[in-house]
C-alpha cells in the first residue's frame, strides 16, 4: 500500500471520527444542554467539512501528478 493510499485512509478515518463525535455531542446537547457540547458539535462539523475539502484537494493534486 502506497503512502498516498495510507494518507487517504487516514483522512477518511479522521472524517468519520469527526462525524461520529459531532453526532454524539449533538445528542448530548439535546439531552442535557450545555454550551460545551454544542461547541463540540460545531467544531466537529467544521472539522469534518475541512477534512472533506482537504481530501478532495489531495486526490486532485495526486491525480494531476500521475500517481
Amino acid at each position: 500500500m502506497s503512502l498516498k493510499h495510507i494518507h487517504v485512509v487516514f483522512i477518511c478515518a479522521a472524517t468519520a471520527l469527526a462525524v461520529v463525535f459531532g453526532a454524539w455531542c449533538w445528542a448530548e446537547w439535546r439531552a442535557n444542554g450545555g454550551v460545551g457540547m454544542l461547541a463540540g458539535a460545531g467544531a466537529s462539523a467544521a472539522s469534518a467539512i475541512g477534512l472533506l475539502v482537504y481530501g478532495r484537494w489531495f486526490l486532485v493534486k495526486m491525480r494531476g501528478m500521475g500517481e
Side-chain angles (χ1 to χ4, degrees):
M1 184 178 262
S2 72
L3 188 59
K4 173 187 167 188
H5 292 114
I6 292 171
H7 193 72
V8 170
V9 167
F10 278 123
I11 293 170
C12 290
T15 304
L17 181 63
V19 168
V20 169
F21 183 70
W24 176 76
C25 284
W26 182 262
E28 285 295 313
W29 174 73
R30 295 218 10 151
N32 302 320
V35 70
M37 287 296 152
L38 186 58
S44 293
S47 296
I49 291 169
L51 283 163
L52 287 171
V53 169
Y54 171 71
R56 177 164 168 72
W57 171 83
F58 181 77
L59 289 174
V60 168
K61 179 182 173 192
M62 287 296 111
R63 194 170 299 133
M65 295 179 77
E67 291 185 23

